[in-house]
Amino acid sequence: MWLFGSNFFRPEPSTPHVSPSQINKLIETWGQESCRDEFLHELCYTGIPVCYRGTLWNLLSGNFLQITPELYSIFKERALRLSSISSKSQSMEEVTDASTSATGSEVDLETGNTHGKEESMNIICYDVPRTFTDIEDFHNNGPLAKNLEVILKTYACYRPDVGYVQGMSYLAATLVFYLDEFNAFKCLANILGRRMSFEFYQLKNDMILQVTSTFNFFFELHMPQLRGHFVAESVASEVFLLDWIMTIFSKTFPVDIAARLWDVYLLEGEVFIMRASLGILKLHESSLRSMDAGEIIRFLKRPSAGSTCPNQLLQLIGDISISKDAYDTIMMRNRMPSLVKGMNQQGIMETSAESMRSGADIDSCDSSVVNMLCPPFGVEK
């Protein structure tokens, strides 16, 4: 299989020791977890073949929101009608205050007025041409452009409390690349329903601060010299981390590399985003340490072509050990600043990092502090 794009053809990465019959059996016995865990882990880390990626992403993303084709049709119809009314209204310069209010109340659909943040769909037509600019299928009325626009508008109607937020176009485009319209929407809705994505797309500052603080802890733990260089250059992790999290790396890397990261993200959940982010920095550590702030930011937003080998990156990510319990523990500490305050938080974190660098397991570090906090909360996939 070959991945396509306007300016490149990339060979499908080889997946050693995996045969079509094994993958078919995995799909057929999906509900029997004991039969699939080890093989599925190997498959996701070595790369799901393109011809199976759509099917397996569908299974991995789940459908805890119970999205049905009928539900999709209902919100798609509303999205198309609102888009049609909005286009006519704008051409006649008759857009009313109610149809552009971010907090408009629910009214008759026939009037063209919106609910909640549905009016945010008006910027989708501007964002789609800026998404995957090197892949012609998403531009100039290409075969995927219309599906992408419809899916995003439908989501804005499905979740009017969230609406459309910039960054969603990269998630939807990655899914459209491998899935049909309905299944791409279903996966998008379920991915955006996961805790980290949902709260980031609601722009909740508490969650953003909690995650970046947790990332900085593990960054200091695994790459103290690079972390020190970033601090010296005044490069805040938020500058690159927000894009990585909100688009699951699809804005930063070509779609074939991003898809390799998605293979594992859909399997392991948000803790993988933490490990993958560290893996990217680890892969380029020597180069980054010689860059100034401007060069670091430009590079991490879009690494130079050919600088990232997906197999090497996944190997490095696999070598970065962050257990679910460790992740939960640090997230909890950063979630409850009122308890941590007054306990010399910075000293506690530095002590924990030093203990872990010396080989201690975080689960055994600072037990007196951890015991003062609530038990670690669960992490959704």
Side-chain angles (χ1 to χ4, degrees):
M1 292 289 294
W2 291 77
L3 297 177
F4 55 89
S6 59
N7 300 317
F8 59 86
F9 287 84
R10 294 193 174 102
E12 165 69 2
S14 61
T15 307
H17 314 304
V18 173
S19 68
S21 61
Q22 288 177 294
I23 299 177
N24 288 330
K25 182 179 180 181
L26 169 70
I27 294 169
E28 293 169 3
T29 60
W30 185 256
Q32 303 171 27
E33 294 191 10
S34 60
C35 299
R36 67 180 176 89
D37 283 352
E38 184 176 344
F39 173 69
L40 182 60
H41 182 274
E42 178 189 3
L43 179 63
C44 290
Y45 270 90
T46 54
I48 299 173
V50 168
C51 57
Y52 288 101
R53 185 164 275 147
T55 300
L56 286 171
W57 279 11
N58 224 344
L59 294 170
L60 286 165
S61 63
N63 191 16
F64 66 92
L65 295 177
Q66 298 297 307
I67 305 293
T68 63
E70 292 76 16
L71 182 68
Y72 177 64
S73 295
I74 290 168
F75 286 104
K76 177 180 176 179
E77 180 182 355
R78 174 172 177 79
L80 293 176
R81 177 169 307 192
L82 285 176
S83 294
S84 176
I85 294 172
S86 177
S87 297
K88 292 177 182 177
S89 298
Q90 289 177 20
S91 65
M92 298 170 59
E93 298 183 352
E94 293 179 354
V95 180
T96 65
D97 290 340
S99 66
T100 58
S101 169
T103 57
S105 58
E106 184 169 337
V107 292
D108 184 4
L109 178 61
E110 294 296 331
T111 68
N113 294 337
T114 58
H115 307 170
K117 299 176 183 176
E118 283 179 331
E119 85 295 333
S120 62
M121 73 171 65
N122 292 332
I123 67 172
I124 291 172
C125 62
Y126 300 105
D127 266 9
V128 167
R130 295 188 293 231
T131 304
F132 290 157
T133 55
D134 55 350
I135 301 178
E136 292 179 354
D137 286 10
F138 288 108
H139 308 287
N140 302 319
N141 297 315
L144 302 181
K146 187 62 178 179
N147 281 2
L148 175 58
E149 187 172 334
V150 168
I151 287 168
L152 292 169
K153 289 180 177 180
T154 303
Y155 183 81
C157 291
Y158 169 68
R159 288 304 304 250
D161 56 328
V162 178
Y164 172 76
V165 180
Q166 288 185 323
M168 288 181 182
S169 62
Y170 284 91
L171 297 180
T174 302
L175 291 165
V176 166
F177 203 78
Y178 296 103
L179 293 148
D180 62 64
E181 183 182 316
F182 165 68
N183 284 307
F185 174 82
K186 176 170 68 70
C187 289
L188 176 68
N190 280 280
I191 289 171
L192 290 175
R194 295 179 175 194
R195 180 187 62 179
M196 182 184 288
S197 292
F198 185 72
E199 296 196 15
F200 265 68
Y201 273 103
Q202 286 193 312
L203 304 178
K204 290 189 175 180
N205 289 331
D206 288 348
M207 182 61 163
I208 293 172
L209 177 61
Q210 181 186 1
V211 171
T212 53
S213 297
T214 299
F215 171 79
N216 286 334
F217 172 82
F218 287 112
F219 189 8
E220 169 68 24
L221 170 66
H222 288 275
M223 286 165 281
Q225 291 182 325
L226 184 60
R227 169 64 176 159
H229 179 60
F230 277 30
V231 171
E233 291 292 331
S234 300
V235 177
S237 297
E238 294 92 320
V239 172
F240 55 88
L241 194 61
L242 295 187
D243 265 356
W244 291 358
I245 291 174
M246 294 182 75
T247 69
I248 314 177
F249 308 103
S250 56
K251 184 178 179 181
T252 302
F253 294 105
V255 67
D256 56 331
I257 296 177
R260 291 288 303 277
L261 297 174
W262 279 53
D263 288 346
V264 188
Y265 163 71
L266 292 173
L267 174 68
E268 296 187 351
E270 66 183 57
V271 68
F272 174 77
I273 290 183
M274 196 71 54
R275 294 172 53 234
S277 298
L278 294 171
I280 294 166
L281 296 176
K282 189 68 177 177
L283 180 64
H284 300 294
E285 182 175 10
S286 59
S287 298
L288 290 167
R289 286 176 61 185
S290 65
M291 296 180 184
D292 62 25
E295 292 170 329
I296 291 170
I297 292 168
R298 285 191 294 273
F299 182 82
L300 292 180
K301 283 187 173 292
R302 189 69 177 181
S304 55
S307 65
T308 302
C309 170
N311 289 333
Q312 185 181 5
L313 175 58
L314 267 296
Q315 179 64 53
L316 285 172
I317 293 170
D319 291 340
I320 294 172
S321 178
I322 301 178
S323 70
K324 180 177 178 295
D325 287 343
Y327 177 77
D328 286 349
T329 299
I330 302 304
M331 282 285 283
M332 178 59 73
R333 292 175 183 174
N334 291 318
R335 187 187 192 190
M336 304 180 68
S338 61
L339 289 182
V340 176
K341 190 174 182 179
M343 295 192 299
N344 190 2
Q345 180 183 17
Q346 186 62 35
I348 291 169
M349 294 305 182
E350 290 176 353
T351 300
S352 296
E354 185 59 35
S355 298
M356 292 179 70
R357 276 197 293 272
S358 66
D361 184 349
I362 190 173
D363 298 328
S364 64
C365 295
D366 301 316
S367 59
S368 61
V369 174
V370 176
N371 290 337
M372 293 179 66
L373 306 176
C374 296
F377 54 85
V379 176
E380 295 176 359
K381 281 188 64 179

